[in-house]
Amino acid sequence: MSLEAVTTIAEARDRVAEARRDGRAIGLVPTMGALHAGHGSLVRKAVQESDLAVVSIFVNPLQFGPKEDFQRYPRNLETDLACCRDWGAHLVFAPETAEMYPTVSLTTVEVARVSEGLCGAFRPGHFRGVATVVLKLFNIIQPDRAYFGEKDAQQLAVIRRMTADLNLNLAIVPVPTVREPDGLAMSSRNRYLNAEERQTAPVLYRALCLAQQRISEGVESAVAVKEEAVSILRSQPLIRVEYFEIVDANDMQPVANILMPVVALAAIWIGSTRLIDNLRCYG
Ligand code: AMP
């Protein structure tokens, strides 16, 4: 099957309806484009597990704050289509903003608690924008499975909770984080980094690895683990730490004593670029 690209909701619905009529399993990978090997891992998994693998490419204005990088977010549909073709995707849905939001959206999806701390505290409204656009994409494509990266752990928790709370009839499939050889998690925003910033960036992963190691050694105090990890980050003059937290994997709430599997998450700024990453930790 060759790759087809559509830009309207009507065309997308038409293509998936045809597949559904034929009893084919539909997989969806929601993305904002500027695709890299991290996205590739999600798409390849969707291709393996579905008969119709759909990739959505949409830079969703609703999830960007007024001072964030919506305008400068990298966009290159031709390159993205070539990637999707290489990875074996069947359909790309790449709507314009006016197609997704023809009028101001008065209806939004708010996933309380899971959305509130961590990135949610520093990006007010971000997860409302994410949950709303993802629910719209689920309603348009009606996939059997949707694929999300563990790289965005809080986003994954928000989508899982929305899916459970609203009885959405699909499976949410988590996909492990794909990293550069030096440990830096792949991200569309890595291309904002200059050479010096890029060289510093893997410190984020090293700080998370240290937290993971301390927890595996049996350290139970979250404060102690955080202090050590943050001091590694602070040793780099280019880095500003936004947060470093240790949370319960399901509800994203900070824990004081590490007695169950947790996730260590961090957000940092390097120059004008914000990077996030996380690692699962087992005591
Ligand atoms: P984005 O285009 O940044 O919105 O990401 C689209 C999807 O790809 C999300 O589910 C992300 O979590 C996932 N993703 C982004 N980077 C990576 C990565 N390095 N490894 C695995 N998944 C990723």
Side-chain angles (χ1 to χ4, degrees):
M1 212 188 320
S2 62
L3 179 75
E4 190 183 4
V6 298
T7 57
T8 68
I9 293 169
E11 288 168 302
R13 281 197 201 281
D14 186 63
R15 300 306 182 276
V16 290
E18 205 177 286
R20 198 167 301 106
R21 227 179 9 249
D22 297 343
R24 294 196 271 151
I26 297 158
L28 172 66
V29 182
T31 80
M32 299 205 299
L35 300 180
H36 49 69
H39 299 110
S41 167
L42 275 68
V43 175
R44 286 184 201 276
K45 196 165 167 64
V47 169
Q48 268 169 21
E49 297 179 352
S50 349
D51 304 304
L52 185 77
V54 184
V55 180
S56 64
I57 298 179
F58 179 59
V59 185
N60 173 35
L62 221 60
Q63 70 189 68
F64 287 80
K67 293 190 182 131
E68 293 184 357
D69 57 344
F70 176 68
Q71 295 300 341
R72 77 162 175 151
Y73 198 84
R75 292 164 172 87
N76 192 335
L77 188 58
E78 283 316 305
T79 320
D80 287 346
L81 289 178
C83 289
C84 288
R85 201 169 286 118
D86 272 1
W87 298 328
H90 306 117
L91 181 66
V92 167
F93 173 49
E96 293 291 337
T97 304
E99 180 71 7
M100 289 297 276
Y101 301 110
T103 54
V104 171
S105 202
L106 298 181
T107 310
T108 55
V109 183
E110 184 94 42
V111 182
R113 194 160 78 221
V114 187
S115 292
E116 284 159 13
L118 311 167
C119 291
F122 293 92
R123 304 186 68 189
H126 170 67
F127 289 114
R128 185 188 314 127
V130 170
T132 303
V133 81
V134 168
L135 183 59
K136 282 163 75 76
L137 290 167
F138 285 177
N139 283 330
I140 294 165
I141 305 297
Q142 296 181 28
D144 300 286
R145 291 189 193 84
Y147 297 81
F148 291 88
E150 290 174 352
K151 152 90 176 23
D152 299 279
Q154 191 175 12
Q155 168 172 284
L156 175 59
V158 165
I159 300 301
R160 278 183 153 146
R161 190 59 194 249
M162 172 183 81
T163 301
D165 284 351
L166 300 182
N167 304 97
L168 305 183
N169 192 18
L170 80 165
I172 303 300
V173 183
V175 181
T177 302
V178 178
R179 299 180 179 282
E180 301 286 357
D182 60 10
L184 176 66
M186 290 195 180
S187 164
S188 305
R189 290 188 168 99
N190 291 351
R191 65 189 72 184
Y192 297 152
L193 302 169
N194 67 29
E196 195 189 359
E197 292 167 344
R198 173 64 188 82
Q199 226 184 352
T200 306
V203 175
L204 174 55
Y205 177 63
R206 290 206 290 276
L208 289 164
C209 286
L210 180 73
Q212 189 185 51
Q213 190 191 327
R214 289 292 177 262
I215 291 169
S216 76
E217 287 165 0
V219 178
E220 285 182 8
S221 156
V223 169
V225 173
K226 280 192 281 188
E227 268 175 15
E228 205 182 347
V230 166
S231 73
I232 294 196
L233 293 168
R234 293 237 166 92
S235 71
Q236 300 291 324
L238 287 181
I239 291 180
R240 184 168 70 75
V241 181
E242 191 174 83
Y243 68 78
F244 191 106
E245 266 307 339
I246 294 174
V247 304
D248 176 306
N250 292 317
D251 63 5
M252 295 283 122
Q253 300 305 297
V255 298
N257 294 313
I258 305 163
L259 302 170
M260 74 283 233
V262 291
V263 187
L265 301 96
I268 61 166
W269 287 87
I270 305 188
S272 57
T273 303
R274 183 176 181 277
L275 300 179
I276 59 170
D277 199 354
N278 68 88
L279 276 184
R280 277 214 167 232
C281 307
Y282 302 91

